[in-house]
Amino acid sequence: CVQKAHICVSRSVGTKVVATQAEDSGKDEREEKAGPKSLSAFLVERQEQAERSVLISCHPKTSEKKFLKYLSRHGDIKKHFFYDSYGTYAVVEFSTQDGVRSLLDAAVIPSVSHESAVPFKSRLLSLRTTGAVNQSDQQPGLQCRPQSTVPISELIQTLARQETVDQQIMCLTQAYQLTEENSRLRFLVCSLLKDIAAAYFPECTVKPFGSSVNGFGKLGCDLDMFLDLDDISGRDVQTPKSSLSVEYQMKRATSERAVTQSILSVIGECVDQFGPGCVGVQKILNARCPLVRFSHQPSGFQCDLTVNNRVALKSTELLYLYGLLDRRVRLLVFSVRCWARAHSLTSSIPGAWVTNFSLTVMVLFFLQRRSPPIIPPLDHLRQLAGPADRSVIEGNDCTFVSDFSKIQLQTNTETLEQLLNDFFEFYSTFPFGKMSINIRKGKEQNKPEVAPLHIQNPFETSLNVSKNVNSSQLERFVALCRESAWLLQQRDAPPGRGRRRDPPGLGTGHPAAAVPGGRSQKSKEKEKGTGHANASRVY
Ligand code: CTP
Ligand code: MG
């Protein structure tokens, strides 16, 4: 018996949602970012891969062999993987765009009996199977790549098996960081969005920014993207040399902001009305940075779409660079973000709490304040910049060096445990009342305005990144820093001097510090001398 498969174009009809549990099946293949590739080179490579890719919904019992055989008829497949998100999906990357074109040419329009379909074709497809299925077709199920983090209880168990706090921090980062597949999926969703926006703006691109690409993203983080219309912005236009030339007639608006709002309003409408898999579309046009927010169901991503957000791309590039300068940067940022989430200092809901972006800047500032510093201040990176690095966006100087090899780092050999402990100590005594955190200078500055927490935006220097934070949230942050520093220090205290024996767990201590079995480097060294490894376990 032959199981015939053919592809059906997904349309924005009311899709039936089958809730499936995202299982952590498949080998855990979290990869460290390979080599110091510039962010722009990384974006170009991933965007190009995404253009050659399609997203296909399929039955979890689909035969992978037959699936690939069918698709190979349309072109060479370079890479593919399966994942679960409200159903099983496959990301398939063809070697050339011809493969995608051939597959789309063969795709049929679904026949819907009780509803009407919006006739918008996209690269989001469904695999249809027809014909009888014999016993040999009863596959064990597709191997799905995880797109969400392991449950916290499971993570605690894994951390408990680690010997040192440094190992726990590495393990935590491994478990939480974006996987290669998740990164590809993010770019594919941007590429699918670009297809919608391209109906109006054929030259546009949709680029991810923020934690999806800055190296600090956690599985499940939102997908920040912006519609890049730079090629049709009128900026950097060369004056024609000939005496006669033509120019486009274009509609005028009162301000750049008004243009952004009208573009987002129209694109938001298109996403809502025509975008297959896009649900819960909200247009938030009166925000300081207008955006369209929606859920992309096939990927499970919460998406924020903005327009021409070039300063945010620059700050993404800066964080990316800092993250690659020293491996401890990313490891510490992951630990602090995880610690903050576990204590509900951060939330996925906007409010008066500190954001992950603010926390990241706080970690960077702390690392600039080490002696010797682990990373240099932004002003130093600006001094190293060459003419090609010069960048001024809306009057903001966003210039900094892009060539990693020009950056000389000082020798600092502090362990992650030391740094984590000192991070908590540093912020438990930081003079938040008077001083502002400034990564451009690498030194605290007098606060220019009244706000409980003042973190200068590295590029839009008149802005406070943490303007939203109220004093009670800041007080909680400081109190938890104090408590976590204390917990970490108890690990080396001898019994009877207040050493804590009950596992404080993720609710009260830092995960990497407050996990059963985790020992500090110092205590591990002491144990080697005494042979009492288990006796000295703190928890
Ligand atoms: N951003 C900014 N100023 C802010 C907030 C955000 O410049 N006050 C920029 C930063 O480049 C940030 C990006 O917008 O990385 C996305 O913001 P957000 O989604 O809040 O932060 P992420 O870094 O993406 O972190 P998360 O994982 O929480 O989404
Ligand atoms: Mg984000």
Side-chain angles (χ1 to χ4, degrees):
C1 287
V2 184
Q3 186 186 33
K4 285 187 196 150
H6 65 266
I7 300 291
C8 155
V9 182
S10 274
R11 295 176 155 212
S12 49
V13 289
T15 45
K16 216 198 247 175
V17 179
V18 183
T20 54
Q21 218 181 346
E23 282 169 8
D24 235 14
S25 59
K27 202 168 159 252
D28 205 357
E29 270 183 21
R30 271 103 187 177
E31 292 173 13
E32 285 287 323
K33 202 160 266 140
K37 187 181 283 178
S38 74
L39 180 64
S40 50
F42 173 69
L43 292 181
V44 167
E45 182 187 305
R46 282 268 187 265
Q47 276 173 327
E48 201 267 324
Q49 282 170 348
E51 294 283 297
R52 290 184 276 106
S53 302
V54 292
L55 187 51
I56 307 174
S57 157
C58 44
H59 190 275
K61 295 277 182 191
T62 302
S63 154
E64 183 170 357
K65 213 169 129 195
K66 285 181 180 169
F67 175 74
L68 292 178
K69 195 172 165 201
Y70 169 73
L71 291 176
S72 302
R73 281 196 233 152
H74 298 281
D76 264 0
I77 295 169
K78 203 158 179 201
K79 171 148 179 129
H80 77 283
F81 64 89
F82 298 93
Y83 69 91
D84 267 339
S85 169
Y86 299 101
T88 304
Y89 286 86
V91 171
V92 180
E93 180 197 335
F94 285 97
S95 296
T96 66
Q97 288 211 356
D98 289 344
V100 176
R101 270 190 289 271
S102 165
L103 182 67
L104 294 186
D105 283 347
V108 298
I109 308 293
S111 59
V112 281
S113 46
H114 303 299
E115 294 166 303
S116 297
V118 177
F120 176 78
K121 292 178 176 178
S122 80
R123 281 177 287 141
L124 173 60
L125 307 161
S126 301
L127 181 77
R128 292 211 321 197
T129 53
T130 51
V133 178
N134 70 11
Q135 280 303 309
S136 65
D137 286 328
Q138 298 302 312
Q139 298 296 313
L142 294 166
Q143 281 266 305
C144 287
R145 299 299 179 129
Q147 306 301 321
S148 55
T149 51
V150 291
I152 201 97
S153 53
E154 209 176 292
L155 178 68
I156 292 173
Q157 297 294 319
T158 314
L159 296 187
R161 288 193 290 274
Q162 307 306 310
E163 291 278 306
T164 64
V165 172
D166 282 48
Q167 284 171 1
Q168 288 183 327
I169 291 177
M170 285 186 272
C171 186
L172 180 147
T173 308
Q174 280 281 314
Y176 274 6
Q177 70 191 352
L178 299 185
T179 56
E180 152 90 12
E181 286 81 12
N182 195 268
S183 166
R184 283 170 178 265
L185 186 55
R186 285 170 189 268
F187 278 86
L188 179 50
V189 172
C190 289
S191 174
L192 296 177
L193 249 288
K194 188 220 67 179
D195 289 351
I196 297 177
Y200 286 97
F201 306 106
E203 294 100 333
C204 76
T205 52
V206 172
K207 291 191 172 114
F209 69 98
S211 61
S212 293
V213 283
N214 65 15
F216 302 109
K218 177 184 161 217
L219 282 171
C221 69
D222 68 356
L223 172 56
D224 303 294
M225 48 190 160
F226 76 96
L227 182 64
D228 189 353
L229 300 171
D230 235 19
D231 291 347
I232 33 178
S233 67
R235 267 179 236 112
D236 311 323
V237 179
Q238 307 263 320
T239 321
K241 289 201 174 72
S242 67
S243 58
L244 280 184
S245 62
V246 288
E247 63 180 22
Y248 290 102
Q249 283 202 15
M250 286 179 165
K251 202 155 183 139
R252 308 285 161 107
T254 49
S255 64
E256 191 82 18
R257 181 176 167 83
V259 175
T260 298
Q261 286 170 325
S262 72
I263 292 171
L264 274 177
S265 177
V266 172
I267 301 297
E269 208 56 42
C270 288
V271 171
D272 193 18
Q273 305 291 330
F274 309 147
C278 300
V279 297
V281 180
Q282 288 171 270
K283 296 189 216 170
I284 309 170
L285 303 181
N286 287 324
R288 189 186 70 77
C289 183
L291 73 143
V292 169
R293 179 166 286 170
F294 61 95
S295 271
H296 185 257
Q297 255 180 0
S299 62
F301 295 143
Q302 178 72 32
C303 302
D304 278 353
L305 176 70
T306 50
V307 172
N308 285 347
N309 206 346
R310 293 182 305 138
V311 183
L313 188 63
K314 271 285 165 191
S315 67
T316 301
E317 208 177 314
L318 180 69
L319 263 52
Y320 176 86
L321 182 139
Y322 274 131
L324 287 178
L325 283 185
D326 186 294
R327 59 187 276 284
R328 288 168 294 182
V329 177
R330 285 184 72 233
L331 292 164
L332 205 62
V333 168
F334 268 96
S335 303
V336 170
R337 282 185 168 202
C338 179
W339 165 81
R341 189 74 184 93
H343 288 290
S344 307
L345 282 170
T346 51
S347 165
S348 52
I349 308 157
W353 23 85
V354 66
T355 62
N356 279 329
F357 180 58
S358 296
L359 278 176
T360 306
V361 179
M362 288 171 99
V363 174
L364 296 179
F365 182 71
F366 162 74
L367 294 173
Q368 291 173 339
R369 300 298 292 141
R370 303 309 293 162
S371 179
I374 291 181
I375 49 170
L378 174 54
D379 269 349
H380 179 69
L381 299 178
R382 190 189 175 284
Q383 283 160 15
L384 297 175
D389 297 325
R390 203 181 125 71
S391 163
V392 178
I393 303 170
E394 291 152 21
N396 301 300
D397 186 358
C398 302
T399 307
F400 62 92
V401 65
S402 58
D403 181 355
F404 294 78
S405 67
K406 286 192 192 164
I407 307 167
Q408 296 281 315
L409 298 176
Q410 302 192 44
T411 308
N412 174 311
T413 55
E414 287 172 298
T415 65
L416 291 164
E417 179 179 359
Q418 237 170 314
L419 291 171
L420 185 62
N421 179 56
D422 289 4
F423 172 88
F424 292 136
E425 283 210 335
F426 182 80
Y427 283 114
S428 61
T429 55
F430 188 84
F432 287 109
K434 287 203 302 262
M435 306 309 268
S436 163
I437 289 165
N438 188 315
I439 60 163
R440 179 167 277 282
K441 301 261 173 270
K443 278 196 191 111
E444 49 261 43
Q445 306 285 303
N446 285 327
K447 260 194 207 180
E449 62 188 49
V450 189
L453 176 60
H454 195 281
I455 304 174
Q456 191 196 59
N457 186 308
F459 297 119
E460 294 170 287
T461 52
S462 62
L463 299 180
N464 174 11
V465 164
S466 52
K467 199 177 169 192
N468 60 312
V469 177
N470 66 18
S471 46
S472 74
Q473 286 301 321
L474 178 64
E475 279 161 26
R476 281 198 63 223
F477 173 80
V478 172
L480 282 161
C481 280
R482 199 173 301 131
E483 186 187 330
S484 299
W486 183 83
L487 277 171
L488 272 167
Q489 283 151 23
Q490 297 319 296
R491 301 162 53 76
D492 291 318
R497 276 186 44 207
R499 191 167 75 177
R500 193 171 172 142
R501 287 184 178 279
D502 55 319
L506 285 165
T508 53
H510 178 263
V515 156
R519 287 170 296 163
S520 70
Q521 192 62 40
K522 265 190 254 165
S523 59
K524 204 182 150 206
E525 279 156 15
K526 270 187 235 155
E527 284 154 16
K528 275 189 190 149
T530 59
H532 292 114
N534 289 334
S536 72
R537 287 195 171 211
V538 179
Y539 303 109

